[in-house]
Amino acid sequence: MNCIRWIARSSARSSVEARRSLPLQSPYSASKHGIEGFLDSLRVELQHDNIPVSVTNVMPATINTPFYNKGLTKLGVKPTGVPPYYQPDLVAKAILHVAEHPTRDIIVGDVGRVLDVMQKISPHLLDWVLQTIAIEGQQTQTPKQETDPNNLYRPIEDPGYNRAEGDYSNLAIPSFLDWFDWHPTAKWGVAAGLGALLLLTTQAFKDNDTA
C-alpha cells in the first residue's frame, strides 16, 4: 500500500517587536508578543496530535508599508518607523521561503536581527539606545490628528491607501543576512569557516606563547 507523506506549512506575519517592544508602540508590541505566545502553544498542540503542519513566526523589522499612514495616532503628527526601512517584497520572499523550508522563526531585515541579539545580551543597554533614538525618531513634522482616516475599527476605503509600499522608499536599504537564511548551505559553510579560522588563530597564539 502506497503512503503519501505530506507536511503543511503555515506562517504568521508578526514583527520583530514580538522579541523587543518599542516605545510609543506598546499596543502593537503587545499584540505581536501575543502572536508569539499563541504560535508556541499551537506548535506543541500540533506535535502532540501528530498533525504534520510546520508553523513559522515571520518577524519583519521596519518595513516600508502604509502602516504609518493608516494607523490611528495620538502623537499629533504622522508617525514613522525608526530607519532604516526594508521594502515589503523582502517579507514576501521570506514567506515564500518558509513555505517550502520548515523554519521555526525568521527575522526579516538585518536591523531586526541586531535588535534580537542586543535584547538577549543586554536589555538594559537596548533600553538606553531606544529611549535615546526611538521616541523622537518615530515622529515626523507632518501634522496628523486622531480624526484623520485610520483603520483601527474599519478599513479605509480610499484607494490611495491600498498599496504595498509606503512613503519611505528613500530610506529603504537592502538586507544581507536574510540571504543566508534562504541559502542554509552557504550559511553553515561560512559558520564552519569562521569556526575553523578561530581555532587556527587560537592555536597560533598558543604556539607563539610556548615558543
Side-chain angles (χ1 to χ4, degrees), residues 8-11 39 42-43 46 53-57 103-104:
R9 298 182 177 107
S10 173
S11 64
L39 295 182
L42 176 62
R43 283 193 196 96
L46 292 172
V53 174
S54 171
V55 178
T56 300
N57 189 7
T103 306
R104 184 182 182 92

Side-chain angles (χ1 to χ4, degrees), residues 50-64:
N50 294 315
I51 298 176
V53 174
S54 171
V55 178
T56 300
N57 189 7
V58 181
M59 295 174 284
T62 304
I63 306 299
N64 179 37

Side-chain angles (χ1 to χ4, degrees), residues 64-73 78-79 88 142-152 154-168:
N64 179 37
T65 69
F67 170 77
Y68 305 98
N69 305 69
K70 294 182 176 183
L72 184 149
T73 177
K78 179 182 174 181
T142 304
K144 184 177 176 68
Q145 304 303 318
E146 294 181 45
T147 54
D148 287 351
N150 67 81
N151 64 350
L152 180 60
R154 61 187 62 86
I156 300 177
E157 301 300 334
D158 187 340
Y161 289 91
N162 297 328
R163 50 195 169 95
E165 293 187 9
D167 298 336
Y168 302 105

Side-chain angles (χ1 to χ4, degrees), residues 66-194:
F67 170 77
Y68 305 98
N69 305 69
K70 294 182 176 183
L72 184 149
T73 177
K74 297 184 178 182
L75 294 174
V77 296
K78 179 182 174 181
T80 178
V82 179
Y85 281 83
Y86 300 96
Q87 294 290 34
D89 65 327
L90 191 65
V91 183
K93 290 177 182 178
I95 293 173
L96 288 174
H97 173 77
V98 300
E100 298 181 346
H101 303 86
T103 306
R104 184 182 182 92
D105 302 302
I106 184 169
I107 295 176
V108 183
D110 295 341
V111 173
R113 297 167 187 267
V114 172
L115 285 175
D116 185 46
V117 171
M118 289 184 67
Q119 176 69 10
K120 292 174 180 175
I121 294 175
S122 179
H124 294 294
L125 174 60
L126 190 51
D127 287 345
W128 179 84
V129 171
L130 291 176
Q131 67 90 17
T132 301
I133 67 172
I135 294 182
E136 287 78 9
Q138 293 184 84
Q139 302 180 60
T140 67
Q141 300 299 316
T142 304
K144 184 177 176 68
Q145 304 303 318
E146 294 181 45
T147 54
D148 287 351
N150 67 81
N151 64 350
L152 180 60
Y153 297 112
R154 61 187 62 86
I156 300 177
E157 301 300 334
D158 187 340
Y161 289 91
N162 297 328
R163 50 195 169 95
E165 293 187 9
D167 298 336
Y168 302 105
S169 293
N170 60 312
L171 300 177
I173 64 172
S175 181
F176 300 100
L177 297 178
D178 296 82
W179 186 87
F180 286 103
D181 275 337
W182 304 336
H183 300 83
T185 301
K187 177 172 71 174
W188 294 116
V190 170
L194 291 174

Side-chain angles (χ1 to χ4, degrees), residues 12 14-20 29-43 57 59 104-105 116:
S14 178
S15 166
V16 73
E17 291 188 54
R19 297 287 177 82
R20 171 66 218 203
S29 297
S31 70
K32 300 309 179 182
H33 277 74
I35 289 175
E36 184 164 43
F38 170 78
L39 295 182
D40 285 343
S41 177
L42 176 62
R43 283 193 196 96
N57 189 7
M59 295 174 284
R104 184 182 182 92
D105 302 302
D116 185 46

